[in-house]
Amino acid sequence: MPKPSTAIKQRGLLAISCMILEEDSNYSQIQELLHRLGLEGKYEDRLTKESFLEITPSVLHPEEPRKEQDLVNAFMQRLLTVDYRARYISVKAEPPATKSQKLTSGDVFGALLAESTSSVQNKTLHIHPMDIQMAVFLCADPFLQQSMVTKLSQCQYAIPLLVPFSTEIGFHLWAMRQVSKSWKTIDTSGKIKNMSLPMYQAQTPMVAFFRMGSISSSKSQLANSFINEKHNTFFHRHCPGSSKSRLLMDGVVEIAWYLPSGKNTDYFSDCVAFCNLHGDSHKHEPQRKILTELASVNVVFLSNLDMDNSDRAVVQTLCRSTTPLIVVLTDKEDQNEDAVFKIGKRKYKLALKGRNQSDVSAALRRVIRECLSDRPVIFRIKDLVKHKELKLDECSEACQSGKNAAEQILTFLKTEDPPRVKNKYLPCQGELWHEWCQRNKDLRRLHSNNLETEKAQKQLEMKGLRKQQQKQGFSELMGLFVGNLRSLSNSGKRYFIKWMAIYLDDFTSDKLSAIHQQYDEKWREALSLKKTHDKEFSNTDVKIVKTEKLQEEQSNLEQISRKLNAATLGLEHMLREMGQIYEASVSSRAGEQNLSLSYLPGLAADLLISGHPMELMDGDAAHVPLIWLSAVLKEVINKLEDKRVFVLSVLGIQSSGKSTMLNAMFGLQFAVSAGRCTRGAFMQLVKVSEEMKHTLKLDYILVVDTEGLRALELSGKATINHDNELATFVVGLGNMTLINIFGENPSEMQDILQIVVQAFMRMKQVRLSPSCVFVHQNVTDIAAGEKMMKGRRRLQDKLDEMTKLAAKDEVCDAECFSDVIGFDVEDDVRYFVQLWEGSPPMAPPNPCYSENIQELKRAIVHRASQTNGMTLSQFKLRVDDLWNALLNENFVFSFKNAHEISVHRKLEEEHEKWTWSLRSAMLGIENTMLNRVSSGNVEAVETQDLIREMAVTMDGVQGAFKVFFEEDSEKETLIQWKNTFQKQIGHLHEELMNDAKRKLDYNIQQKRLRKSLDEQMVNYEKTLFEKSKELGLKCRENQSGNPKGVKAEFDSLWREWVSALAQNAPKIKDVNISDDVISILTNFSERGLVFSQTESKMSREILLREQSALVGAQSQQ
């Protein structure tokens, strides 16, 4: 395991030794501690989060720390994977040999009485676990401190609130800014209310624990029993690794929270904060005064009532205060049956000695509940800034400049309603962008007969939309946002981004919470209505009413979902707006010469390089902004050079734990919550350490996180299409894709993968070699890997079967699933235990989950070492090629799985037979009727005549249609298309009737016209003869000597006569071979495929030859 001193720069001795006065007797011990941990020295730079997130050799070769200098790295690696055992890390050493005294024969009893003669003066005690945590915390930069506190909170550990150094006390508000908790309370009406808040804002009662002097019992251990009896929220003397050598915890105030679950078994009905002052409070008077002033209940621990004058004065003050007080005497025995004895109004005494720990905990909980029920003092962490004796950790110049810049932007939003902000200040990514995306998709999926005209029209509309976007330009809000990204220092920029995220969350949280509550209520109503709707009703009217009501409720849900989407506002929306402003600029003619916005991709590239997630696919528009993305990746290449990356993507059903898994695996910051949180796809870079670059032949792992598939609030055909597109895109991008499955049933993901496979077969022009690993989350049986081998085999058999089916449809030579997507059933199926060790919200993460995460990470890095990955420029090209191929592909994504495609193709074959029966029958009827018209037997044709002639064939087709849909073995799958195809047959029948009548009416008209012309022929001949004779006489008189002139005059008059006679003749229609070809082919193939083929060079040459031949024939005529 690498030494921290060689991998990272330390803040050094000065950062920690200032915790105490330099003349303190512990100074030398602290100096020795830092030396043992490898944190000695006086450096300007601090420990950074990035240094711990790098892919290092320890990923492939994990070891327990064998040296004390390995402890810092081991602690941080475990903490970042949310393994609560990080706090119990220790040096793995050989057990010492057992020493024995020289004894006289058989004098065991003498040895028992004898004192040990071994010297303890030179014995080196092991490092206390909390000293490791605090040493790293105090050496860390503010961003690593924030990450540490967030991870400690996720581990359900107490987090540092007040930390003493020198003569000041540090208040680490910045470090706590990202700590959020969720819980459930029951209001006065008995209704359960969901709460989710950043804890620095939460208004809760607070119980303060502190001791005076030395006590025999553990204060922290007793405090844990109020929060979680099965978890050591506060570290105490009986925890693994604890010793008397603790150096850095005295005077530290830690805070933790009890979070109710809305059940009768809750210890407290609402969220309660617990603050614990470590060490003797007599030596840390400022901390004690602050806690006792803000506490709702004070719990003071004394060994007994024999106190010195100063301690007695403190206890007297607490007794006189109106704040409830509980005095716990650790060394005093009380014969009273009740564990807690009331000594005054809201004042209690408790003797611990000789009492059962469980009974004491229950009694104290009951007393604290009673004290909190009477309008307790409300505590809020951020209010501690009012205490001038505390030094806030947000006072640095960079932090303040970032905060001021963010506050300046937020002034625009203070009076705004969150759902309206995006339309007002971020207009380019709204309706204009969505319409452009739809036109861009329609451009590849044209429907009209005149495809070239439709294509030109779509392109014109897209250009117009871009011009409208360009007119919108930068709003004041976006101008400030981009201006700050350009002007702030690198450190200030990092703070600015963090502050923006904090303020935007604060701005939208109340509105989003209300909308979520509204959605949950409507969802429950719709679910209840659906259950009653699914039951049988004898009354048809009741069925209709229920159906209408259900549709109304579903419409309301969709409306609330749109409102929820409108109210969501985050950094990704600001960066998306930047992208659309840039795309609109470069898409216009003026933008080609205008370089004023060329700096925008560089700003986004800086954020991506610094570890911030970047949007790869817009989840709201379901579109990849290729122009913007290509520009950003080009800037990344310019800044980093063309580095080699291994692309790891993740795919899974909604709320299956994808983002949680990636965050724990790589310490990333993808959005995590219950429900649909990530929208679209985001990418983030994870750096490979210098030591590992030679092994992996890679510079970065590029991680792609995606939105959850099959979201309930977006259910429907459009969702299936979107999810299938997204899945194909993500799997195609990745060198490896993690297929995340909640539980043991892969059916949903299995369906999606079948579509992905078939799409890859159809997109032959994109060369892809993806692979996948199935990750089953929340598997309760630890032996599932062995027991579910049959399940693995069934999975592979099913995927192979569907691959063969797809290969047959697409005329591809793939024999099994792994021919298309790399997959080994033995190595590429993983089973994860459940994330929580108990029931949330108080359950800590399961350590076995962290072990599973590390094993998978090891497998990923090992797989990466066996591939060459791809360069960033190759990744940019792959994104472009893959997205364009997806836009051209439409047919396959509308299906749920490959089986549906096969059944649909079978239906199409039958449909072709039915339509041919109708067409051939109508052709026969037309010929018969035309013969009758020609022979003069028919003077007029009515539509009813044709319907009667077609009745037998139509009845036969309808009968075959009914039999197919009712008796075919796939009738359950077919039923979804019954109405569509029934309408198509009806429309075809009607169209054939109209076309036949039109043709017959035309022929009848021509028959009548010919008859009329025949009757007038004699008159025409006589008229022409008279006119010719007249012309001849006239010419003989005037131009007898010029035959050419006579002929010219005769030709001119002849054309006039013929033209006058032909006025009643029907016009000859122009022939458009191209349109006719497309019209015929689209009856038998997909329109998008037909159009793509007509664009090819060969197709244009064929059409050109046909048109030339037609023109030649017409000219000869």
Side-chain angles (χ1 to χ4, degrees):
M1 193 171 290
K3 295 181 181 180
S5 56
T6 60
I8 39 186
K9 294 182 179 179
Q10 299 83 6
R11 183 184 177 185
L13 174 62
L14 186 61
I16 293 185
S17 59
C18 64
M19 271 192 66
I20 57 170
L21 294 173
E22 193 158 323
E23 59 268 20
D24 196 300
S25 60
N26 286 341
Y27 179 76
S28 60
Q29 292 177 312
I30 293 176
Q31 189 177 21
E32 181 188 359
L33 169 68
L34 298 176
H35 175 75
R36 290 165 67 183
L37 290 174
L39 297 175
E40 80 283 6
K42 297 180 180 181
Y43 299 94
E44 293 181 359
D45 294 337
R46 300 186 184 184
L47 300 175
T48 64
K49 180 181 176 181
E50 290 73 24
S51 60
F52 290 110
L53 294 182
E54 289 184 352
I55 305 296
T56 62
S58 62
V59 174
L60 283 176
H61 309 289
E63 292 180 350
E64 290 294 320
R66 295 185 176 275
K67 295 179 293 184
E68 289 177 333
Q69 288 189 337
D70 296 337
L71 287 171
V72 170
N73 192 63
F75 169 77
M76 284 304 302
Q77 292 300 330
R78 290 197 180 183
L79 182 62
L80 290 173
T81 58
V82 204
D83 184 351
Y84 69 72
R85 295 174 302 184
R87 204 163 67 171
Y88 306 130
I89 199 80
S90 61
V91 174
K92 185 178 181 181
E94 295 295 327
T98 305
K99 297 182 179 180
S100 61
Q101 295 176 329
K102 295 181 179 180
L103 305 175
T104 57
S105 178
D107 192 8
V108 177
F109 184 70
L112 176 66
L113 298 178
E115 293 185 4
S116 174
T117 57
S118 61
S119 174
V120 295
Q121 291 181 357
N122 298 323
K123 183 178 179 181
T124 302
L125 297 175
H126 70 268
I127 300 175
H128 194 283
M130 292 305 292
D131 284 341
I132 300 172
Q133 176 182 310
M134 291 307 299
V136 177
F137 181 78
L138 290 165
C139 281
D141 73 359
F143 300 99
L144 179 57
Q145 285 183 342
Q146 192 175 77
S147 182
M148 285 182 67
V149 167
T150 304
K151 297 293 184 181
L152 285 169
S153 177
Q154 290 171 0
C155 290
Q156 298 294 2
Y157 280 146
I159 56 179
L161 177 64
L162 305 179
V163 179
F165 57 92
S166 187
T167 57
E168 297 176 315
I169 302 167
F171 170 34
H172 291 275
L173 178 59
W174 171 259
M176 303 179 69
R177 290 281 187 180
Q178 283 190 323
V179 177
S180 292
K181 299 283 187 181
S182 299
W183 66 92
K184 294 182 179 181
T185 61
I186 303 176
D187 59 20
T188 53
S189 64
K191 191 176 181 180
I192 294 177
K193 185 179 180 182
N194 295 315
M195 300 291 293
S196 185
L197 283 173
M199 296 314 291
Y200 72 91
Q201 286 188 345
Q203 297 184 352
T204 66
M206 187 266 282
V207 181
F209 289 83
F210 56 93
R211 67 176 170 88
M212 304 181 70
S214 297
I215 56 176
S216 58
S217 297
S218 171
K219 164 177 56 69
S220 298
Q221 186 178 22
L222 185 60
N224 287 340
S225 65
F226 304 141
I227 303 171
N228 188 342
E229 289 183 306
K230 298 178 181 179
H231 186 60
N232 294 318
T233 306
F234 295 105
F235 194 94
H236 57 83
R237 65 183 65 173
H238 302 299
C239 287
S242 181
S243 68
K244 295 181 180 179
S245 63
R246 186 182 76 185
L247 296 174
L248 302 179
M249 281 299 290
D250 282 354
V252 173
V253 176
E254 290 188 305
I255 186 170
W257 293 269
Y258 176 81
L259 308 170
S261 59
K263 299 178 181 177
N264 295 329
T265 54
D266 291 337
Y267 293 164
F268 304 96
S269 59
D270 207 342
C271 179
V272 180
F274 291 87
C275 287
N276 184 13
L277 171 58
H278 292 273
D280 186 354
S281 66
H282 183 69
K283 298 178 181 178
H284 308 287
E285 187 175 348
Q287 293 94 309
R288 187 191 67 226
K289 283 185 176 180
I290 291 171
L291 289 183
T292 54
E293 177 186 334
L294 299 175
S296 308
V297 179
N298 286 309
V299 183
V300 57
F301 285 73
L302 303 167
S303 59
N304 51 54
L305 294 175
D306 297 331
M307 299 172 281
D308 58 27
N309 291 334
S310 58
D311 289 346
R312 185 180 295 274
V314 171
V315 175
Q316 280 181 340
T317 302
L318 293 173
C319 289
R320 290 170 185 159
S321 169
T322 57
T323 304
L325 172 67
I326 301 174
V327 179
V328 179
L329 304 173
T330 59
D331 297 341
K332 184 174 177 60
E333 190 170 359
D334 195 340
Q335 301 300 323
N336 203 331
E337 289 185 7
D338 294 331
V340 181
F341 182 70
K342 191 170 185 178
I343 56 176
K345 184 180 180 182
R346 301 204 298 173
K347 303 293 187 290
Y348 303 87
K349 180 178 72 170
L350 166 67
L352 283 184
K353 193 172 182 180
R355 294 197 182 276
N356 179 283
Q357 178 81 15
S358 180
D359 293 342
V360 168
S361 300
L364 278 175
R365 278 198 298 268
R366 177 176 50 79
V367 171
I368 292 174
R369 270 199 307 271
E370 184 180 326
C371 294
L372 295 180
S373 64
D374 186 16
R375 285 184 291 182
V377 175
I378 295 301
F379 168 75
R380 189 166 60 166
I381 289 174
K382 70 176 185 179
D383 291 340
L384 284 171
V385 296
K386 298 174 184 176
H387 290 262
K388 301 303 180 184
E389 64 270 36
L390 300 180
K391 184 175 181 181
L392 185 64
D393 64 346
E394 296 177 350
C395 295
S396 69
E397 183 180 347
C399 183
Q400 285 300 306
S401 63
K403 183 178 182 180
N404 293 336
E407 286 178 343
Q408 188 180 8
I409 290 176
L410 265 292
T411 54
F412 287 97
L413 306 180
K414 284 182 180 178
T415 58
E416 299 288 348
D417 186 25
R420 297 180 181 176
V421 167
K422 284 193 279 192
N423 283 338
K424 184 174 181 180
Y425 293 108
L426 311 175
C428 292
Q429 64 182 277
E431 202 172 315
L432 293 174
W433 165 235
H434 290 192
E435 286 184 17
W436 189 94
C437 294
Q438 190 57 51
R439 299 290 190 285
N440 193 32
K441 288 184 176 180
D442 291 344
L443 194 62
R444 321 299 178 96
R445 302 158 190 181
L446 301 174
H447 296 287
S448 72
N449 291 329
N450 194 335
L451 297 181
E452 289 297 336
T453 304
E454 187 183 4
K455 180 182 178 181
Q457 179 63 29
K458 297 289 183 191
Q459 290 173 334
L460 190 64
E461 290 173 0
M462 289 167 66
K463 189 176 289 186
L465 289 167
R466 284 301 193 196
K467 285 182 179 178
Q468 289 183 57
Q469 281 184 313
Q470 195 175 18
K471 285 180 182 177
Q472 297 288 345
F474 282 107
S475 64
E476 282 188 89
L477 184 143
M478 279 303 299
L480 281 173
F481 179 77
V482 173
N484 286 320
L485 286 180
R486 297 185 74 185
S487 62
L488 290 171
S489 64
N490 288 336
S491 179
K493 195 185 300 183
R494 289 185 69 187
Y495 275 111
F496 170 66
I497 290 295
K498 287 282 188 181
W499 279 115
M500 281 298 300
I502 290 167
Y503 285 142
L504 288 176
D505 286 347
D506 187 31
F507 172 68
T508 59
S509 59
D510 290 341
K511 190 70 176 181
L512 288 175
S513 180
I515 298 174
H516 272 297
Q517 193 81 17
Q518 186 183 3
Y519 187 90
D520 289 342
E521 291 173 1
K522 285 292 181 185
W523 173 253
R524 282 193 291 269
E525 290 175 15
L527 195 63
S528 175
L529 194 62
K530 190 175 186 303
K531 287 179 181 178
T532 57
H533 176 269
D534 291 340
K535 294 179 181 178
E536 292 295 329
F537 290 101
S538 57
N539 190 338
T540 306
D541 292 336
V542 175
K543 278 187 177 180
I544 295 171
V545 171
K546 288 285 183 182
T547 301
E548 290 176 353
K549 182 66 175 173
L550 182 60
Q551 290 174 347
E552 183 183 344
E553 289 297 330
Q554 289 172 338
S555 176
N556 290 337
L557 277 174
E558 290 173 6
Q559 189 175 352
I560 296 171
S561 184
R562 286 193 295 270
K563 191 190 298 183
L564 185 65
N565 189 44
T568 304
L569 181 64
L571 277 169
E572 67 270 24
H573 299 101
M574 314 283 278
L575 296 173
R576 186 187 296 170
E577 187 74 4
M578 274 175 56
Q580 285 313 300
I581 292 171
Y582 177 81
E583 285 204 342
S585 172
V586 300
S587 296
S588 66
R589 290 183 181 178
E592 292 173 4
Q593 290 88 24
N594 184 8
L595 301 178
S596 62
L597 298 180
S598 59
Y599 62 87
L600 290 177
L603 299 178
D606 289 336
L607 292 177
L608 180 62
I609 293 169
S610 68
H612 194 273
M614 180 183 169
E615 191 172 60
L616 189 59
M617 175 188 275
D618 181 342
D620 294 325
H623 210 86
V624 176
L626 281 181
I627 298 172
W628 168 246
L629 194 61
S630 296
V632 172
L633 289 173
K634 184 179 178 181
E635 286 296 323
V636 173
I637 293 169
N638 290 339
K639 293 171 185 291
L640 296 179
E641 298 180 350
D642 199 4
K643 298 295 185 183
R644 191 163 285 276
V645 298
F646 179 83
V647 182
L648 175 71
S649 55
V650 64
L651 204 60
I653 304 302
Q654 182 185 3
S655 300
S656 59
K658 306 174 303 302
S659 301
T660 302
M661 178 175 66
L662 291 179
N663 291 353
M665 190 181 299
F666 296 107
L668 304 180
Q669 49 184 343
F670 292 120
V672 178
S673 68
R676 197 180 185 93
C677 36
T678 308
R679 292 296 303 270
F682 287 81
M683 60 180 176
Q684 197 167 341
L685 289 171
V686 178
K687 194 174 183 180
V688 175
S689 68
E690 292 297 328
E691 304 102 300
M692 284 293 286
K693 284 182 180 179
H694 301 294
T695 304
L696 295 183
K697 298 177 182 177
L698 297 168
D699 301 289
Y700 290 90
I701 292 180
L702 193 151
V703 183
V704 179
D705 187 25
T706 60
E707 68 181 81
L709 307 178
R710 302 296 191 254
L712 292 176
E713 66 265 33
L714 300 176
S715 58
K717 275 288 180 186
T719 305
I720 291 175
N721 197 304
H722 166 64
D723 287 353
N724 289 338
E725 277 187 359
L726 177 64
T728 306
F729 180 65
V730 169
V731 175
L733 277 186
N735 296 110
M736 176 190 283
T737 302
L738 302 179
I739 310 295
N740 202 53
I741 299 162
F742 191 77
E744 301 168 8
N745 185 5
S747 58
E748 285 274 17
M749 284 308 306
Q750 191 173 282
D751 286 345
I752 293 169
L753 278 178
Q754 292 167 26
I755 299 296
V756 173
V757 167
Q758 191 138 356
F760 284 167
M761 290 180 181
R762 293 167 68 87
M763 296 186 299
K764 298 179 177 68
Q765 71 274 26
V766 184
R767 293 184 179 181
L768 302 171
S769 55
S771 64
C772 71
V773 174
F774 284 83
V775 181
H776 293 266
Q777 301 256 14
N778 204 45
V779 178
T780 54
D781 188 353
I782 58 172
E786 291 73 23
K787 290 184 178 180
M788 292 185 65
M789 183 53 72
K790 289 184 179 179
R792 294 188 190 187
R793 293 296 181 192
R794 280 197 300 271
L795 170 64
Q796 186 168 39
D797 291 344
K798 184 70 173 175
L799 292 173
D800 288 348
E801 177 189 342
M802 291 305 169
T803 302
K804 289 178 182 177
L805 192 65
K808 182 180 177 182
D809 286 340
E810 305 302 336
V811 194
C812 185
D813 58 358
E815 291 292 326
C816 58
F817 178 72
S818 57
D819 288 343
V820 184
I821 299 176
F823 174 69
D824 184 345
V825 74
E826 300 292 336
D827 297 328
D828 294 338
V829 180
R830 302 274 170 167
Y831 295 93
F832 278 26
V833 298
Q834 59 187 4
L835 173 60
W836 302 112
E837 195 174 65
S839 300
M842 289 309 300
N846 192 334
C848 294
Y849 179 86
S850 298
E851 288 180 4
N852 296 149
I853 287 286
Q854 292 292 6
E855 289 169 4
L856 178 58
K857 184 177 181 181
R858 212 156 34 243
I860 292 167
V861 174
H862 179 70
R863 181 76 62 86
S865 67
Q866 297 176 327
T867 67
N868 291 324
M870 64 182 87
T871 62
L872 284 170
S873 57
Q874 288 171 337
F875 174 73
K876 180 166 77 75
L877 187 62
R878 177 175 285 195
V879 171
D880 192 279
D881 289 345
L882 186 57
W883 181 244
N884 280 315
L886 283 171
L887 288 177
N888 290 325
E889 176 55 61
N890 184 38
F891 169 74
V892 72
F893 293 132
S894 59
F895 297 98
K896 187 178 179 184
N897 52 39
H899 178 69
E900 272 197 3
I901 297 174
S902 179
V903 174
H904 192 272
R905 288 234 164 100
K906 180 181 176 182
L907 172 57
E908 284 181 331
E909 290 173 4
E910 293 297 317
H911 182 255
E912 285 178 14
K913 294 177 185 177
W914 299 328
T915 55
W916 175 245
S917 296
L918 293 174
R919 289 180 187 279
S920 60
M922 181 53 72
L923 189 61
I925 293 169
E926 278 184 22
N927 291 333
T928 302
M929 297 295 285
L930 285 172
N931 291 332
R932 292 178 184 175
V933 169
S934 298
S935 62
N937 296 329
V938 175
E939 294 293 331
V941 176
E942 298 297 332
T943 305
Q944 291 300 320
D945 299 333
L946 296 174
I947 292 175
R948 279 196 301 272
E949 294 287 340
M950 277 286 287
V952 175
T953 305
M954 187 61 181
D955 290 344
V957 168
Q958 288 177 334
F961 181 90
K962 183 177 180 182
V963 169
F964 181 75
F965 274 92
E966 292 181 0
E967 298 182 9
D968 191 87
S969 58
E970 302 292 348
K971 59 185 179 183
E972 290 83 3
T973 306
L974 288 166
I975 191 67
Q976 62 183 307
W977 301 302
K978 184 177 180 180
N979 288 338
T980 302
F981 276 78
Q982 198 168 20
K983 288 178 182 178
Q984 285 181 5
I985 291 172
H987 290 156
L988 176 62
H989 180 258
E990 185 178 348
E991 185 182 334
L992 290 172
M993 295 294 109
N994 294 334
D995 284 348
K997 188 175 187 309
R998 188 165 52 250
K999 288 178 184 177
L1000 291 169
D1001 287 346
Y1002 176 80
N1003 276 274
I1004 291 170
Q1005 182 187 4
Q1006 292 298 309
K1007 176 74 174 174
R1008 290 172 180 167
L1009 186 60
R1010 282 196 299 272
K1011 185 179 179 181
S1012 176
L1013 287 172
D1014 290 343
E1015 290 173 354
Q1016 295 179 31
M1017 186 64 72
V1018 176
N1019 294 329
Y1020 288 158
E1021 287 178 355
K1022 185 178 179 181
T1023 302
L1024 287 172
F1025 179 76
E1026 291 296 330
K1027 286 183 177 290
S1028 299
K1029 184 179 176 182
E1030 221 174 278
L1031 178 63
L1033 292 172
K1034 183 179 178 181
C1035 289
R1036 188 174 62 181
E1037 292 175 1
N1038 299 330
Q1039 299 179 357
S1040 56
N1042 189 359
K1044 288 184 179 181
V1046 173
K1047 184 177 183 307
E1049 188 173 352
F1050 177 80
D1051 289 342
S1052 174
L1053 287 172
W1054 180 262
R1055 283 192 294 271
E1056 289 179 12
W1057 299 337
V1058 172
S1059 175
L1061 292 173
Q1063 282 181 354
N1064 294 328
K1067 304 298 180 191
I1068 299 174
K1069 293 172 65 176
D1070 289 334
V1071 178
N1072 191 323
I1073 295 176
S1074 175
D1075 286 353
D1076 289 345
V1077 168
I1078 291 171
S1079 178
I1080 293 168
L1081 289 177
T1082 49
N1083 289 325
F1084 301 96
S1085 196
E1086 297 152 33
R1087 184 173 290 272
L1089 179 62
V1090 171
F1091 181 67
S1092 65
Q1093 291 300 314
T1094 58
E1095 294 283 285
S1096 67
K1097 182 179 178 182
M1098 183 181 293
S1099 175
R1100 288 196 295 271
E1101 289 175 351
I1102 292 171
L1103 287 174
L1104 203 59
R1105 286 200 300 269
E1106 293 294 333
Q1107 288 173 348
S1108 300
L1110 179 65
V1111 170
Q1114 288 176 341
S1115 63
Q1116 288 176 2
Q1117 291 175 359

